[in-house]
Amino acid sequence: MRRLFITLVCSFMLLLLSASPAVSAADQSARPNVIVILADDMGYGDVTALNRQSRIPTPNLDKLARQGLVFTDAHAAGSYCVPSRYGLLTGRYMWRTRLGSGGNLANFAGTLIEPGRRTIANLMQDAGYQTGLVGKWHQGIDWKLHDESEREQIRVDPNYQNFKNIDFASPVLKGINDYGFAYSFATAGSAEMNPSTFIVNNRAAVIPTLTTAEAKEKYSEWYGRDDNIIAEGYTMDRLVPTLSNKACEFVETAVRVKPDQPFFLYYAMTTPHNPIVPNEEFVGKSQAGTYGDFVVELDFHVGRLLQNLKDLGIADNTLVFFTSDNGPVDRTRGYPQRWVRGDTQIYGHDSTGDCSGWKGGLEEGGHRVPFIVRWPAKIKPGEACATTIVFNDVLPTLAEMLNVKIDNKTAEDGVSFYPALTGASRPVSFHKAIIHNHHNGHFAVRQGPFKLIMKGPKTVEEVLDPRVPVKYQLYDLDKDIAESTDVADKHPEKVKQMHAILKQYVKAGRSQSE
């Protein structure tokens, strides 16, 4: 283990030193460090600064909101993990990929992002940034197999159990570092997903060998799945602190090794996604049960990273985004016992605030997320912005900030909201419309205050097929954020026009003009 640790540290240092082309000192000083912090399954209503009724203390996120700009109408690119992260990384809707609308990745599925597609990390690396990812990937990894005949099965089978066929000792055939990240310390997916090991620069840090039963016997508890393959030393109580340590280490190393070269960090936290297992020092710190305590732990580690920026003297010229990959899970239905340490009751706390719906759905609670941006050098603190944005917009926003042009095969569904950051322009939206999709495949279109939910078509082919029946629901979110009153019958022309937008976006292969 000691030899592996030394090897990994050396590899990290070499990657940072060689990651990017030379950039002039003048260019460097004009370009901020950039950190994207992504929570996992955290609701808009969990942050006290965004929801006065929250029963969860979030002092660090509240401070971030006071120091930055809060987007009150920000949306994940999907209402669950995979489409949300795909949109953030590529600026494109995931329903355009091989998975389609409602698709998800199996535990050992191959990479989702298409060969040659430019990601946000590619953009930043090409602009001279040191790039790193710490945390949850969940965009697929191509593991080396001993028997290649099972390659297609492994791409689609969520319960693939032939672990002996996976060569965990070898570097992956394709993984995180192939998408613009010079450094990565990651989990393949959510905390409970296989394999339960850290993946460092495209290879397993420790080869997973333990079964769930063996992990329970060794550690007295295991809050993962019943069919996990687990590495020695990989425990749920160590997961969150370890990722926090690595995020801080990346920043510190980047600053000390290349002080004249800015860095980009994508810190994809695994909290508060199940397993809901707050560490002991956070138990009882909220008034919203175990889930609330887990959010308190998340807030602590966000604060730790922000304090790190201050201690290093780089906070003023570091652009920090904080958001969540989608809305919260409906905890009123409970969780499987194996995923929870303690009581799951929410004690009157509403993670979605005034919105209805949950993760996976088309209601606002499934995809309207907290979205806070701080950049003391450029952004006026303590303001709120009602401009509608979506994760697809982050890549083109950074491109505009850096004065980097992107081609028409990049971020086809994203548009820059950089003018909203600086206060130069804050319209209702920079989009003609944005698209939401349900985990079952159904679509919705958002335009201005209106949201049209279409139940019927579940694939892009069905969207374009006039024979597929469609049932409409239309809501005026300015008047009805809870989506309690369907006004489709009162606005038939609006329904027709918004449905036509979805068809147009599907046919064109993009939602932004070339």
Side-chain angles (χ1 to χ4, degrees):
M1 290 294 293
R2 183 173 182 272
R3 182 180 299 173
L4 175 60
F5 175 78
I6 293 171
T7 300
L8 292 174
V9 169
C10 292
S11 298
F12 177 32
M13 299 293 281
L14 288 171
L15 283 165
L16 285 176
L17 288 168
S18 62
S20 307
V23 181
S24 72
D27 286 341
Q28 292 163 7
S29 64
R31 297 187 174 196
N33 304 303
V34 179
I35 298 177
V36 176
I37 306 173
L38 187 69
D40 196 357
D41 289 6
M42 181 178 180
Y44 187 95
D46 289 333
V47 183
T48 305
L50 308 181
N51 174 21
R52 293 182 180 180
Q53 305 304 315
S54 174
R55 300 175 67 83
I56 305 173
T58 53
N60 294 300
L61 291 174
D62 296 346
K63 183 178 180 181
L64 187 69
R66 290 194 302 271
Q67 295 175 337
L69 174 67
V70 174
F71 283 85
T72 58
D73 197 359
H75 298 265
S79 58
Y80 57 103
C81 302
V82 177
S84 171
R85 292 160 198 274
Y86 180 86
L88 178 62
L89 288 164
T90 69
R92 183 173 182 251
Y93 291 121
M94 189 208 75
W95 46 263
R96 299 192 189 279
T97 73
R98 64 179 171 86
L99 289 182
S101 183
N104 210 348
L105 284 174
N107 283 335
F108 294 100
T111 51
L112 175 62
I113 300 173
E114 302 83 355
R117 175 159 293 280
R118 199 176 186 194
T119 69
I120 193 170
N122 293 135
L123 172 84
M124 301 304 284
Q125 194 171 57
D126 291 346
Y129 278 69
Q130 304 171 77
T131 57
L133 177 146
V134 173
K136 174 179 172 178
W137 174 237
H138 212 177
Q139 292 295 289
I141 291 174
D142 287 302
W143 295 91
K144 185 177 180 182
L145 304 182
H146 296 295
D147 179 4
E148 275 293 327
S149 68
E150 295 186 7
R151 176 66 65 185
E152 288 307 311
Q153 178 188 353
I154 204 172
R155 284 167 62 87
V156 298
D157 184 356
N159 299 309
Y160 185 83
Q161 296 292 308
N162 187 10
F163 301 140
K164 291 182 179 180
N165 188 35
I166 302 173
D167 184 3
F168 289 115
S170 295
V172 304
L173 299 180
K174 191 171 186 181
I176 301 167
N177 290 63
D178 296 294
Y179 291 101
F181 292 102
Y183 169 76
S184 61
F185 188 101
T187 59
S190 304
E192 88 289 358
M193 289 182 67
N194 283 316
S196 296
T197 188
F198 292 117
I199 302 163
V200 183
N201 294 328
N202 276 7
R203 70 185 306 158
V206 178
I207 297 171
T209 58
L210 299 176
T211 64
T212 296
E214 290 169 337
K216 285 181 178 179
E217 183 176 354
K218 187 177 183 67
Y219 304 120
S220 300
E221 62 178 22
W222 175 254
Y223 292 98
R225 296 180 182 270
D226 294 334
D227 62 353
N228 281 140
I229 181 75
I230 307 156
E232 290 273 359
Y234 185 98
T235 60
M236 293 300 175
D237 58 342
R238 290 182 59 191
L239 174 60
V240 176
T242 296
L243 295 177
S244 179
N245 289 341
K246 293 302 177 182
C248 290
E249 285 176 15
F250 173 83
V251 170
E252 292 166 4
T253 304
V255 170
R256 289 171 182 159
V257 174
K258 287 280 189 177
D260 295 326
Q261 185 180 0
F263 64 80
F264 168 70
L265 171 64
Y266 173 36
Y267 179 24
M269 306 179 81
T270 56
T271 44
H273 190 289
N274 59 270
I276 301 176
V277 286
N279 275 289
E280 185 176 348
E281 61 265 38
F282 301 99
V283 173
K285 297 299 183 181
S286 77
Q287 295 179 305
T290 305
Y291 172 83
D293 298 343
F294 212 21
V295 174
V296 171
E297 184 167 3
L298 175 152
D299 181 82
F300 170 83
H301 288 291
V302 170
R304 184 180 176 216
L305 180 58
L306 297 178
Q307 183 62 45
N308 201 27
L309 301 179
K310 184 177 180 180
D311 293 343
L312 291 167
I314 59 172
D316 283 352
N317 202 39
T318 298
L319 172 58
V320 177
F321 295 85
F322 174 84
T323 187
S324 175
D325 66 341
N326 44 251
V329 173
D330 184 356
R331 292 181 312 286
T332 61
R333 298 181 181 178
Y335 277 119
Q337 189 62 37
R338 66 179 182 272
W339 285 350
V340 184
R341 177 187 290 152
D343 192 351
T344 64
Q345 296 300 310
I346 59 176
Y347 304 99
H349 172 75
D350 195 341
S351 287
T352 60
D354 294 330
C355 300
S356 62
W358 303 90
K359 173 182 177 178
L362 291 173
E363 295 86 357
E364 291 295 287
H367 48 78
R368 186 182 290 232
V369 291
F371 200 100
I372 305 170
V373 189
R374 188 188 76 176
W375 184 11
K378 292 284 186 179
I379 295 176
K380 187 176 180 180
E383 292 189 342
C385 177
T387 299
T388 304
I389 62 172
V390 66
F391 277 11
N392 304 337
D393 302 335
V394 176
L395 190 159
T397 297
L398 293 177
E400 181 175 357
M401 178 189 76
L402 297 170
N403 197 26
V404 174
K405 291 187 177 181
I406 54 178
D407 61 34
N408 61 8
K409 294 182 180 179
T410 301
E412 296 97 316
D413 297 306
V415 59
S416 172
F417 57 82
Y418 185 69
L421 293 184
T422 63
S425 176
R426 291 176 179 170
V428 171
S429 179
F430 293 101
H431 291 263
K432 180 179 180 181
I434 62 173
I435 309 300
H436 307 299
N437 73 301
H438 196 287
H439 71 83
N440 69 8
H442 287 141
F443 292 90
V445 177
R446 170 70 186 279
Q447 186 178 47
F450 290 102
K451 182 164 76 174
L452 178 68
I453 293 175
M454 288 161 283
K455 294 187 176 180
K458 294 184 178 181
T459 66
V460 292
E461 291 79 14
E462 289 180 348
V463 166
L464 300 177
D465 188 344
R467 297 169 298 179
V468 177
V470 185
K471 291 184 178 180
Y472 301 105
Q473 295 173 5
L474 183 70
Y475 298 99
D476 183 343
L477 299 180
D478 279 356
K479 300 176 181 178
D480 180 23
I481 191 64
E483 299 170 88
S484 59
T485 304
D486 179 4
V487 296
D489 290 344
K490 296 180 180 179
H491 301 278
E493 289 303 313
K494 190 66 178 175
V495 168
K496 183 179 179 181
Q497 179 245 337
M498 292 177 72
H499 189 180
I501 288 175
L502 175 61
K503 293 179 179 180
Q504 174 193 339
Y505 285 2
V506 169
K507 286 181 181 178
R510 59 189 305 113
S511 58
Q512 299 309 313
S513 58
E514 296 190 39

